[in-house]
């Protein structure tokens, strides 16, 4: 009886979790459609200006440090510093991208929706800590290279311009890594602008046809 009750509770928890995820995805799509601007309503020049601001965000250490290559060696920028360097303690993300092969990212980086604490406490987020997926590798690349990658569905997780907005909104609905980039805890640098500014710039860039610098 107890086993059956435990199974029932587990199934209810899993169902509730799956429902929450699906609800978040649907809500993110609705928000993204509201964020999106009509295609062609923005000039190429305005799109390129928006890209400059996007580039400043995605290349900032708070955003780029986890977008490392297939070697899966995380980069970090300790509090009080502005230059990125190899993560301390010989941390390695491994093929799993979550550090399962050696020391899991979650050993230090808690999954929590609570506000980040001042350094040196490790930053946390509302989703399990991990390196960015391989298709989102861009640490050390030029702005033009990242731009070409982000607009290419074969290299961005199969997303079109609106899909990128959905990605931002869905991550935000989970209190994930992207919005947390602007709330890493006292003592840490943040990207320029705000998360909402970034969403607007991605929408402008998308409406302009996702132009990239030469």
């Amino acid at each position: 009886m107890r086993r059956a009750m435990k199974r029932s509770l587990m199934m209810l928890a899993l169902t509730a979790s799956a429902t929450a995820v699906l609800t978040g995805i649907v809500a993110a799509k609705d928000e993204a459609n509201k964020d999106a601007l009509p295609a062609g309503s923005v000039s190429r020049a305005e799109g390129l200006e928006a890209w400059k601001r996007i580039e400043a965000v995605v290349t900032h250490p708070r955003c780029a440090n986890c977008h490392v290559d297939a070697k899966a060696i995380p980069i970090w920028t300790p509090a009080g510093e502005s230059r990125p360097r190899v993560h301390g303690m010989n941390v390695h993300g491994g093929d799993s991208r979550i550090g399962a092969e050696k020391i899991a990212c979650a050993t230090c980086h808690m999954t929590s929706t609570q506000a980040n604490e001042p350094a040196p406490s490790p930053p946390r987020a509302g989703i399990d800590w991990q390196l960015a997926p391989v298709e989102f590798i861009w640490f050390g690349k030029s702005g033009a290279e990242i731009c070409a990658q982000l607009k290419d569905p074969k290299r961005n997780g199969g997303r079109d311009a609106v899909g990128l907005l959905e990605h931002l909104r869905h991550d935000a609905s989970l209190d994930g890594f992207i919005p947390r980039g602007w709330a890493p805890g006292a003592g840490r640098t943040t990207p320029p602008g705000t998360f909402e500014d970034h969403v607007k710039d991605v929408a402008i860039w998308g409406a302009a046809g996702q132009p990239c610098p030469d």
Side-chain angles (χ1 to χ4, degrees):
M1 178 71 76
R2 288 181 179 177
R3 287 182 180 177
M5 186 175 292
K6 284 183 179 179
R7 288 198 193 100
S8 296
L9 290 172
M10 287 177 65
M11 289 300 295
L12 284 171
L14 289 171
T15 300
S17 177
T19 300
V21 170
L22 288 173
T23 300
I25 291 173
V26 171
K29 286 185 176 182
D30 288 343
E31 284 194 74
N33 286 327
K34 293 177 183 176
D35 294 323
L37 301 172
S41 63
V42 175
S43 71
R44 174 180 170 80
E46 291 173 306
L48 286 171
E49 285 300 313
W51 171 254
K52 287 181 182 178
R53 295 188 293 271
I54 295 168
E55 180 183 332
V57 170
V58 299
T59 58
H60 187 278
R62 198 60 53 211
C63 298
N65 284 354
C66 287
H67 289 260
V68 294
D69 63 22
K71 293 179 182 178
I73 299 175
I75 304 296
W76 71 348
T77 304
E81 298 184 19
S82 58
R83 296 182 62 184
R85 53 189 169 97
V86 173
H87 199 298
M89 298 167 287
N90 196 30
V91 170
H92 193 293
D95 291 338
S96 67
R97 309 288 286 181
I98 63 171
E101 295 82 353
K102 290 190 176 181
I103 301 175
C105 303
T107 302
C108 298
H109 291 283
M110 295 173 58
T111 301
S112 172
T113 57
Q114 295 180 349
N116 275 317
E117 298 173 341
S121 298
R124 52 196 177 192
I127 56 179
D128 292 342
W129 206 270
Q130 59 186 298
L131 294 178
V134 174
E135 59 262 33
F136 277 95
I137 288 172
W138 64 57
F139 181 84
K141 291 184 179 180
S142 69
E145 289 174 321
I146 299 172
C147 185
Q149 178 180 342
L150 279 179
K151 68 183 291 184
D152 183 359
K154 294 180 180 178
R155 295 186 290 157
N156 72 5
R159 298 176 175 92
D160 59 11
V162 177
L164 291 176
L165 291 170
E166 289 175 15
H167 172 58
L168 295 176
R169 287 302 186 190
H170 183 236
D171 190 78
S173 75
L174 301 173
D175 199 12
F177 303 119
I178 301 173
R180 285 271 172 150
W182 283 272
R188 300 185 178 95
T189 60
T190 59
T194 66
F195 172 73
E196 289 299 329
D197 291 335
H198 185 57
V199 171
K200 290 177 182 177
D201 283 331
V202 172
I204 292 169
W205 180 59
Q210 298 176 301
C212 291
D214 297 330

